[in-house]
Amino acid sequence: MAAIQHFDNVVIGAGAGLTAAYFAVQDKQSVALVTDRPAAIGGTCVNFGCIPTKTLIQSARAIDAIKSAADFGIHVDTTTIEVDFTRIMHDMRALRADNAKGARQWVADAMTPFYTRARFVGDKLLETEDGTRLTGERIFIASGARPSIPPIQGLQDAGYWTNEDVLELERQPASLIVVGGGYIGVELGYFFAALGTEVTLINPDAKLLAEDDDVRELFTREFGRRVTLVTGRATRVASTGSGKRVELESEDGETRHLEAEQILIATGRKPNTEHLDLAATGVRVDKGGAIRVDAALCTDHPHIYAYGDVIGRGMFKHTSSAEGELAYRNAQGESQRMDYHANPHAVFSEPEVAAVGLSEAECRSQSLDYRVAKLDYADVAKGKIVGAPAGFAKLLVENTSERILGCHIIGPHAALLIHEVVVAMNADGASVDTVRRAIHIHPSLSELVGTLFG
């Protein structure tokens, strides 16, 4: 049997895993990086998520700007708009490749990469597919997640797209059925609809997204102006001569059929844990396959940490980066606790959505004594200037302490506007006075937040 290779750190996963690897390299420690997707170093964000999808959405926003020009006295013949889909996709992939290139070179120069799948065969002991064995003083599991495909009859035979497949397209589909009303479904649905694809979105709930109820209601109404929304569950898929047919069932048992050229499955993501044989080293997972960790991001094994999508707590790049640094610091002997109370997120569809902290439903479920402040974009000067778009900011404050509990924004630049609240929620006491005392530029959309706190 070959000798066991020993490292200071073994990192499983070349997406979020690069965060722990980065700090280890800075500390001049040896790092073994294990990944079975060498072409996707940088992970979901760089290769299949944040970078490429937001690049596509930028094209959608450009089309929206052209179509709305008449609202500001600029008249354009919108019938002559031509979408160069091949160019849009090519530019996206070029930008993606440029972002990934540096990461690949850094891994090759600074670490010992193992481009293979590996599994645990003992306490902190990993074996690769070619029989190589390796171990480390500390092990970090950041193996990510993948699209979760529902067990719809006929789906595998008929064929479908995931968010990864979409990024390799050369030709724009004339029609598309999107199954799933989460952030992936509405972002890609928005992109295709803006470019002229006839989009139908199927969701089991009449309201889209997992957001505050007021946000969901407005988003569903506005998004429904762009795509056809259908409430129900897809039960069967079949190929037709010209595309795909989806059979779906509503809550009352009614069956209907929809047809489109292609189907996009966007029904969530599943942690990549089943091939790791975690039981061999004492690490446990929950019923969904996510690795169980404590507040320090330590697993049931004292020298094995896990973070990122694989723990299923917040599948966002900014979250996994914060987790990765904290996990590394704790593995070095520090004692930090991961705090998610001010962990923000955004949905880059149209309208844009951003949120941090608790929703109103969560405040009620926790029996908190709170109040609500709400302000429309049209209520501030800059909001009127940009066309008084449908949208608002909503603030939740604890009455007894004046502590900020949460904030929800739907409308233009929501992802930028939310950050003032994120910073305030991380300040000592997280008091509304942190924002209330700040002077906001006039006229600017930042006054939406400033006035909300006034």
Side-chain angles (χ1 to χ4, degrees), residues 11-12 89 104 127 133 138 155 162 178 202 210 220 249 257 272 282 290 339-340 353 381 383 399 417 441 449:
V11 177
I12 303 172
M89 302 303 288
R104 293 192 186 99
E127 184 177 88
R133 291 194 164 199
R138 296 159 293 277
L155 181 62
T162 67
V178 179
I202 301 171
T220 302
E249 185 177 294
H257 294 85
N272 293 322
D339 184 356
Y340 296 95
V353 172
N399 286 319
L417 295 174
I441 292 173
V449 176

Side-chain angles (χ1 to χ4, degrees), residues 399-423:
N399 286 319
T400 54
S401 66
E402 290 297 287
R403 179 170 58 100
I404 303 168
L405 298 173
C407 186
H408 307 266
I409 305 177
I410 176 170
H413 305 293
L416 287 174
L417 295 174
I418 200 70
H419 278 89
E420 181 176 10
V421 186
V422 175
V423 172

Side-chain angles (χ1 to χ4, degrees), residues 174-437:
S175 57
L176 178 68
I177 292 174
V178 179
V179 180
Y183 70 93
I184 295 175
V186 301
E187 286 186 352
L188 290 176
Y190 163 55
F191 166 69
F192 282 107
L195 269 61
T197 296
E198 182 183 336
V199 176
T200 301
L201 189 146
I202 301 171
N203 194 52
D205 195 311
K207 293 180 182 179
L208 305 175
L209 298 178
E211 301 289 335
D212 182 88
D213 287 341
D214 288 346
V215 171
R216 296 183 70 202
E217 183 174 351
L218 179 59
F219 181 86
T220 302
R221 187 186 77 202
E222 293 300 309
F223 193 68
R225 302 180 194 277
R226 295 177 170 272
V227 309
T228 300
L229 298 178
V230 179
T231 303
R233 294 185 179 277
T235 57
R236 185 191 304 265
V237 175
S239 296
T240 67
S242 57
K244 323 282 186 184
R245 178 186 293 113
V246 176
E247 178 182 295
L248 65 148
E249 185 177 294
S250 63
E251 282 189 2
D252 59 10
E254 181 183 353
T255 299
R256 61 182 296 188
H257 294 85
L258 301 171
E259 291 193 14
E261 184 178 325
Q262 291 291 349
I263 298 171
L264 168 63
I265 300 296
T267 49
R269 297 180 64 75
K270 181 178 181 180
N272 293 322
T273 53
E274 65 270 34
H275 299 298
L276 292 174
D277 287 354
L278 293 169
T281 198
V283 173
R284 291 181 293 172
V285 300
D286 64 21
K287 62 181 180 181
I291 295 178
R292 294 173 50 171
V293 294
D294 60 18
L297 300 177
C298 188
T299 69
D300 294 297
H301 192 294
H303 302 298
I304 300 178
Y305 290 76
Y307 65 92
D309 291 359
V310 78
I311 66 172
R313 293 191 176 181
M315 294 189 179
F316 305 105
K317 175 63 173 69
H318 50 273
T319 306
S320 67
S321 293
E323 291 171 339
E325 180 175 0
L326 184 140
Y328 177 79
R329 302 296 184 201
N330 286 340
Q332 299 299 313
E334 296 187 23
S335 182
Q336 302 182 31
R337 296 172 63 87
M338 189 65 197
D339 184 356
Y340 296 95
H341 90 280
N343 181 36
H345 68 270
V347 181
F348 295 91
S349 185
E350 183 57 40
E352 188 168 294
V353 172
V356 62
L358 301 177
S359 67
E360 189 169 2
E362 289 170 327
C363 288
R364 289 194 300 267
S365 70
Q366 296 180 29
S367 300
L368 295 174
D369 177 18
Y370 71 96
R371 68 179 182 273
V372 178
K374 196 173 177 182
L375 195 69
D376 291 340
Y377 275 73
D379 291 331
V380 297
K382 185 68 172 186
K384 294 183 178 73
I385 290 169
V386 300
F392 60 81
K394 177 178 179 179
L395 174 66
L396 302 165
V397 179
E398 187 174 45
N399 286 319
T400 54
S401 66
E402 290 297 287
R403 179 170 58 100
I404 303 168
L405 298 173
C407 186
H408 307 266
I409 305 177
I410 176 170
H413 305 293
L416 287 174
L417 295 174
I418 200 70
H419 278 89
E420 181 176 10
V421 186
V422 175
V423 172
M425 289 181 69
N426 279 283
D428 288 343
S431 170
V432 292
D433 285 340
T434 306
V435 177
R436 185 180 288 152
R437 291 194 303 264

Side-chain angles (χ1 to χ4, degrees), residues 3 22 29 45 56 86-87 134-135 140 144 156 163 165 174 193 203-204 216 239 241 256 279 292 296 307 398 433:
Y22 168 81
Q29 296 182 7
C45 178
L56 296 181
T86 302
R87 163 72 184 277
L134 57 149
T135 188
F140 300 93
Q156 297 295 335
N163 63 299
D165 301 314
N203 194 52
R216 296 183 70 202
S239 296
R256 61 182 296 188
R292 294 173 50 171
Y307 65 92
E398 187 174 45
D433 285 340

Side-chain angles (χ1 to χ4, degrees), residues 22-215:
Y22 168 81
F23 288 104
V25 169
Q26 293 299 302
D27 286 344
K28 302 188 185 311
Q29 296 182 7
S30 62
V31 178
L33 184 75
V34 180
T35 176
D36 62 349
R37 302 190 75 177
I41 287 178
T44 295
C45 178
V46 171
N47 295 282
F48 313 114
C50 322
I51 302 302
T53 58
K54 278 53 178 182
T55 303
L56 296 181
I57 285 171
Q58 190 63 34
S59 295
R61 297 216 187 282
I63 292 176
D64 279 352
I66 294 170
K67 291 181 176 179
S68 64
D71 296 340
F72 302 93
I74 309 298
H75 297 284
V76 179
D77 182 4
T78 57
T79 63
T80 63
I81 295 176
E82 293 185 9
V83 174
D84 188 344
F85 187 80
T86 302
R87 163 72 184 277
I88 290 171
M89 302 303 288
H90 177 271
D91 288 352
M92 173 273 294
R93 288 191 286 266
L95 180 61
R96 177 179 66 177
D98 185 61
N99 273 273
K101 181 172 62 175
R104 293 192 186 99
Q105 189 59 54
W106 173 62
V107 167
D109 293 342
M111 308 170 205
T112 303
F114 292 84
Y115 296 133
T116 177
R117 181 177 289 177
R119 64 188 181 91
F120 284 96
V121 292
D123 184 55
K124 292 201 300 177
L125 182 62
L126 286 156
E127 184 177 88
T128 67
E129 290 180 308
D130 66 0
T132 300
R133 291 194 164 199
L134 57 149
T135 188
E137 294 297 315
R138 296 159 293 277
I139 296 178
F140 300 93
I141 304 174
S143 48
R146 65 188 185 281
S148 178
I149 308 303
I152 302 173
Q153 186 174 350
L155 181 62
Q156 297 295 335
D157 292 335
Y160 58 90
W161 290 341
T162 67
N163 63 299
E164 296 188 13
D165 301 314
V166 163
L167 302 180
E168 308 307 321
L169 297 181
E170 295 289 344
R171 185 181 65 82
Q172 180 182 352
S175 57
L176 178 68
I177 292 174
V178 179
V179 180
Y183 70 93
I184 295 175
V186 301
E187 286 186 352
L188 290 176
Y190 163 55
F191 166 69
F192 282 107
L195 269 61
T197 296
E198 182 183 336
V199 176
T200 301
L201 189 146
I202 301 171
N203 194 52
D205 195 311
K207 293 180 182 179
L208 305 175
L209 298 178
E211 301 289 335
D212 182 88
D213 287 341
D214 288 346
V215 171

